[in-house]
Amino acid sequence: MRKLLLGLDIGSSSVKASLLDADSGKALVSKAFPDQELAIDSPQSGWAEQEPEMWWKYVAEASKYVHQKAGVKKGELKGIGIAYQMHGLVIVDKEQQVLRPSIIWCDSRAVGIGEKAFQELGEEYCLKNLLNSPGNFTASKLRWVIENEPETAAKIHKMMLPGDYIAMKLTGEILTSETGLSEGIFWDFQKNGISEQVLENYGINREWIPEVVPSYSIQGKVTAAASQLCGIEEGVPVSYRAGDQPNNAFSLQVLKPGELATTAGTSGTVYGVCDTPLHDPLSRVNTFVHVNHQEKKPSYGVLLCVNGTGILNSWLKQLMGANHIDYEEMNTLASSVGIGADGLSFIPFGNGTERIMQNKHVGAHLMGLDLLKHQKGHVLRAAQEGIVSALTFGFRIMQDMGLDLKTVKAGKANMFLSPLFRKTFIHMNQVNLELYDTDGAQGAARGAGIGAGVFASEDEAFAGLTLLETFEPNENFYEPYEEVYSRWKNQLESIQKMNL
């Protein structure tokens, strides 16, 4: 009998399921739903919401699909892992009914609330104990509901992150994790527990916070109702949960101090692991509890996030006629232009407030446009160079914090499919890049295997992880790419001055 593990990745663009064979460490079948990107509602400028029931609908469809494709038999599925879009807020009543749409990661309505709390709680307390400014994270979003929708707040039984909600739908149990609470800025790193000061300042009822469980652990079992809807055998344990960025790092076996992971999907990230609770004095990059954290063996993840990444490339595709051009053609066009795109620069911050910009909404800007010279290829190259420049801006903040950034791991997906993007990334940051055949859903499945005891160790869980390619920079390209970055940074600074 096979030993199978199910990984679920609840993104803001799609829900992906992957079935992993624990013996081979290989994915048998993976599928993302729906075929088109999930809708994000924006009732007001800067707002971003999704219906949690929509995630659940596609979890059911994806789970049923991979089960049928793999011909899963009774007793074969040993555990379920859940990865999810970070920083979202889901609130439910005593009947576990959702009270309002989820305020998701890229929503910026609570920026002012976080800034106010930063002043009231005190900079010293926030940076020492929370390792972050309260910012526009889950706790601030919950305070927004309390202030602006008191009738809804009065009905709250529990608050959750998106992955906690999916686990609740599968098992009927409402739980959360240390890494989840840290990403919501509920976690006191000095006390290794929930921050009572944050709860008091925000007026958050302690009873709203679910029971805390380790990322690797038995966290409830699939109910009869969920079994019927999802095609998953009743009684299978949910045995892992983590936010998408800690999980993406985990999926690449980034678990030890000094190891780094990167992604370039809708948003772009770099995630570095350390065993010391580091913080950026300006909270432009953020520190959270990593999935393998233990009180006696601490593990933290420092996250750099750029909201305006793949979404810029997707926007350009739509602008150029989505039915007439694909990403491969776009990459070819971009590569036909030399380094620096003949003086054209793209500031990619067009997807809400940006943490590396101290929660400012800088916006997207095309700079240096010459109507007699610049063509599609120039715009496309400038976009990719601009995205990498934004990541480099954060990368250098991480270096200043003391992280040793030499080799970065990524899944061969999204913008890392572009040779131009890869070349720009490794030369602008002067790092080695390793590409692996994995994704967040596969990572969640491996985590489920650890939590359920299918794997005896983390090393065993990654026996089937495949390194596809390694890229090393050529120092001859350092100077031209540094010139691209310097010009980009100067133009960014000019925009910031105009916005003062």
Side-chain angles (χ1 to χ4, degrees), residues 250-293:
F250 171 79
S251 71
L252 292 157
Q253 203 177 0
V254 170
L255 293 163
K256 298 174 183 176
E259 295 181 334
L260 295 156
T262 184
T263 63
T266 303
S267 63
T269 66
V270 178
Y271 186 98
V273 176
C274 56
D275 55 10
T276 304
L278 302 175
H279 69 270
D280 169 33
L282 299 178
S283 282
R284 295 163 297 178
V285 300
N286 304 102
T287 304
F288 307 120
V289 172
H290 197 28
V291 297
N292 60 339
H293 174 79

Side-chain angles (χ1 to χ4, degrees), residues 469-484:
E469 295 178 271
T470 300
F471 301 91
E472 297 180 357
N474 181 333
E475 62 181 19
N476 293 328
F477 289 106
Y478 287 172
E479 186 175 343
Y481 277 107
E482 183 62 27
E483 290 176 1
V484 172

Side-chain angles (χ1 to χ4, degrees), residues 308-328:
T309 303
I311 194 169
L312 171 56
N313 219 30
S314 174
W315 180 80
L316 287 170
K317 184 174 185 289
Q318 296 296 323
L319 193 68
M320 294 182 178
N323 296 327
H324 305 291
I325 192 168
D326 58 27
Y327 288 119
E328 188 172 346

Side-chain angles (χ1 to χ4, degrees), residues 37-336:
E37 289 191 1
L38 292 175
I40 297 177
D41 296 324
S42 184
Q44 294 188 34
S45 177
W47 291 20
E49 300 181 345
Q50 288 184 322
E51 293 289 349
E53 292 90 345
M54 174 178 67
W55 307 330
W56 177 236
K57 165 183 163 62
Y58 291 118
V59 163
E61 290 186 18
S63 299
K64 190 170 288 186
Y65 177 91
V66 296
H67 269 67
Q68 291 173 348
K69 281 289 184 181
V72 178
K73 297 176 182 176
K74 186 174 182 179
E76 289 187 326
L77 188 63
K78 303 300 182 183
I80 302 169
I82 300 170
Y84 59 88
Q85 49 173 297
M86 296 172 71
H87 315 307
L89 172 68
V90 181
I91 50 177
V92 297
D93 63 18
K94 290 182 179 179
E95 284 70 48
Q96 299 188 355
Q97 297 301 305
V98 174
L99 291 170
R100 70 171 327 283
S102 173
I103 303 175
I104 67 170
W105 61 279
C106 54
D107 185 291
S108 56
R109 75 185 72 182
V111 168
I113 290 172
E115 290 175 346
K116 181 171 179 283
F118 190 43
Q119 297 302 315
E120 292 176 348
L121 289 166
E123 181 176 331
E124 182 179 355
Y125 172 80
C126 289
L127 296 180
K128 181 180 178 182
N129 292 65
L130 308 178
L131 302 186
N132 304 285
S133 162
N136 186 40
F137 295 107
T138 313
S140 297
K141 291 166 182 171
L142 181 54
R143 177 63 196 175
W144 184 92
V145 174
I146 294 169
E147 289 183 3
N148 294 276
E149 298 176 354
E151 292 182 1
T152 299
K155 299 175 185 176
I156 296 175
H157 172 58
K158 294 292 180 184
M159 61 73 55
M160 290 176 281
L161 297 154
D164 301 331
Y165 168 79
I166 296 301
M168 180 198 77
K169 296 296 288 185
L170 284 167
T171 68
E173 298 189 36
I174 302 179
L175 304 169
T176 192
S177 64
E178 292 181 3
T179 183
L181 290 178
S182 74
E183 77 179 64
I185 315 300
F186 293 100
W187 198 253
D188 188 317
F189 286 79
Q190 295 297 317
K191 296 179 180 178
N192 201 47
I194 294 169
S195 169
E196 299 298 336
Q197 287 92 327
V198 168
L199 299 187
E200 182 180 352
N201 180 273
Y202 278 180
I204 294 170
N205 186 336
R206 179 66 173 76
E207 296 300 314
W208 292 353
I209 309 298
E211 179 186 344
V212 181
V213 295
S215 289
Y216 311 140
S217 62
I218 302 299
Q219 305 164 12
K221 297 183 178 181
V222 172
T223 64
S227 172
Q228 184 174 7
L229 187 66
C230 301
I232 301 171
E233 184 181 347
E234 184 178 354
V236 173
V238 171
S239 49
Y240 170 84
R241 76 181 72 191
D244 53 8
Q245 298 312 321
N247 178 71
N248 283 336
F250 171 79
S251 71
L252 292 157
Q253 203 177 0
V254 170
L255 293 163
K256 298 174 183 176
E259 295 181 334
L260 295 156
T262 184
T263 63
T266 303
S267 63
T269 66
V270 178
Y271 186 98
V273 176
C274 56
D275 55 10
T276 304
L278 302 175
H279 69 270
D280 169 33
L282 299 178
S283 282
R284 295 163 297 178
V285 300
N286 304 102
T287 304
F288 307 120
V289 172
H290 197 28
V291 297
N292 60 339
H293 174 79
Q294 300 174 35
E295 189 169 3
K296 294 182 179 180
K297 191 178 179 182
S299 183
Y300 308 102
V302 179
L303 174 64
L304 141 71
C305 180
V306 175
N307 290 350
T309 303
I311 194 169
L312 171 56
N313 219 30
S314 174
W315 180 80
L316 287 170
K317 184 174 185 289
Q318 296 296 323
L319 193 68
M320 294 182 178
N323 296 327
H324 305 291
I325 192 168
D326 58 27
Y327 288 119
E328 188 172 346
E329 291 174 287
M330 290 168 63
N331 292 334
T332 300
L333 272 173
S335 298
S336 68

